[in-house]
Amino acid sequence: LKPPDLYRMTITYPRKIWIIRHAEREDNINRHWKKLDGAEGLASDNSMLSQRGKQQAKECKNRFKNAQFSHIFASPFDRTIETASTIVEDRDMKVKAEGGLCEALYLCEKPPGFWETDKLAKKFPLVDDDYIPVYSRYTLPKEGCGDDACVTRVGTTLRKIFEKYEGNLILVGHGASIGACHEVLMGDFKYVGQATVSEFEETAPGKYRCNFSSDSSHLSDKKNLRPW
């Protein structure tokens, strides 16, 4: 990432950037998930969390109960928004739904099946309906096949977020988009498990180090976290 210029005067360093993969999704364990209550209106790429995933999200919340952070951003898919909403449900904070953090587009419907912010906010009250995302489902750039095809899009998203928002940040994404975060920040695409936490530190404008990646120490059940 190139050091930003316009907003840097309001941002102090070092600061933490926590990146979390969404918790377990229902379609990982149930191919008939669209018949369940709560699946109405959801596209095939927009599964909600499983019961195990809901528990994992609560354990992520508990991990961050004493952490100080100023903003939380999440891909607009239901599984990422629910994970992020659970983390901040006891805080005076809203979730910023950011299309730039969504899954690799070759894995999604065209356009991706996540809902626009105003509709999301009616389903998830903690969604910030005033947030203007870097990318909406209709402005996402074209991408090729492969998980790393989203690296350029994720890089643009991170740069714009990091330029504008101060303090420690949490980002909730997907396997491919989090792999891309590792590529953008550290030059090494890396897969992480579901509901795991990766911690980066921005030590100076545009300078990053990875303190740890794909940490699952907060999870009571560490089996089958689907890192691929």
Side-chain angles (χ1 to χ4, degrees):
L1 294 181
K2 293 182 180 179
D5 46 23
L6 182 58
Y7 299 99
R8 282 299 182 184
M9 65 185 69
T10 67
I11 299 174
T12 58
Y13 305 93
R15 65 169 173 170
K16 298 288 181 62
I17 312 290
W18 290 291
I19 302 179
I20 304 170
R21 188 177 171 197
H22 64 78
E24 184 182 75
R25 46 194 282 184
E26 180 67 29
D27 62 349
N28 287 156
I29 61 170
N30 177 12
R31 66 178 183 173
H32 302 296
W33 68 274
K34 293 197 73 175
K35 297 180 180 179
L36 297 177
D37 290 341
E40 298 84 0
L42 296 181
S44 61
D45 59 356
N46 196 18
S47 171
M48 67 281 224
L49 295 183
S50 67
Q51 286 303 311
R52 182 189 183 212
K54 293 177 186 293
Q55 176 61 32
Q56 290 173 333
K58 291 178 181 177
E59 291 173 344
C60 287
K61 170 189 170 181
N62 187 60
R63 175 177 180 138
F64 284 94
K65 66 181 180 181
N66 296 319
Q68 299 298 316
F69 54 94
S70 301
H71 305 277
I72 185 167
F73 303 82
S75 161
F77 283 100
D78 271 41
R79 56 193 179 271
T80 33
I81 292 294
E82 186 172 359
T83 300
S85 293
T86 301
I87 291 171
V88 298
E89 63 186 0
D90 294 332
R91 296 174 181 253
D92 183 19
M93 185 176 293
K94 293 281 187 130
V95 176
K96 295 174 172 62
E98 176 49 65
L101 297 175
C102 81
E103 185 59 280
L105 297 186
Y106 83 100
L107 298 172
C108 302
E109 293 193 356
K110 297 181 180 180
F114 61 78
W115 294 355
E116 290 290 335
T117 299
D118 56 347
K119 186 177 179 181
L120 262 181
K122 294 176 181 177
K123 181 174 184 179
F124 297 99
L126 292 183
V127 167
D128 183 356
D129 56 5
D130 290 326
Y131 175 69
I132 299 175
V134 178
Y135 292 107
S136 74
R137 66 196 294 252
Y138 299 110
T139 63
L140 286 162
K142 291 183 178 180
E143 293 177 1
C145 291
D147 289 350
D148 61 354
C150 67
V151 169
T152 299
R153 178 245 301 171
V154 170
T156 298
T157 302
L158 295 185
R159 177 176 58 81
K160 290 183 178 294
I161 288 174
F162 294 173
E163 285 177 359
K164 188 172 182 180
Y165 294 92
E166 62 183 342
N168 298 331
L169 309 176
I170 290 182
L171 288 73
V172 183
H174 307 263
S177 61
I178 293 176
C181 288
H182 281 74
E183 173 74 27
V184 170
L185 299 180
M186 302 303 301
D188 184 20
F189 192 100
K190 182 177 180 180
Y191 291 104
V192 302
Q194 289 177 337
T196 63
V197 177
S198 300
E199 181 183 281
F200 298 87
E201 194 160 354
E202 190 173 15
T203 58
K207 303 295 184 182
Y208 305 92
R209 67 168 174 244
C210 181
N211 293 334
F212 55 80
S213 178
S214 196
D215 183 65
S216 62
S217 60
H218 54 290
L219 298 176
S220 57
D221 179 3
K222 298 178 178 59
K223 67 178 183 294
N224 195 22
L225 297 179
R226 301 176 182 271
W228 308 107

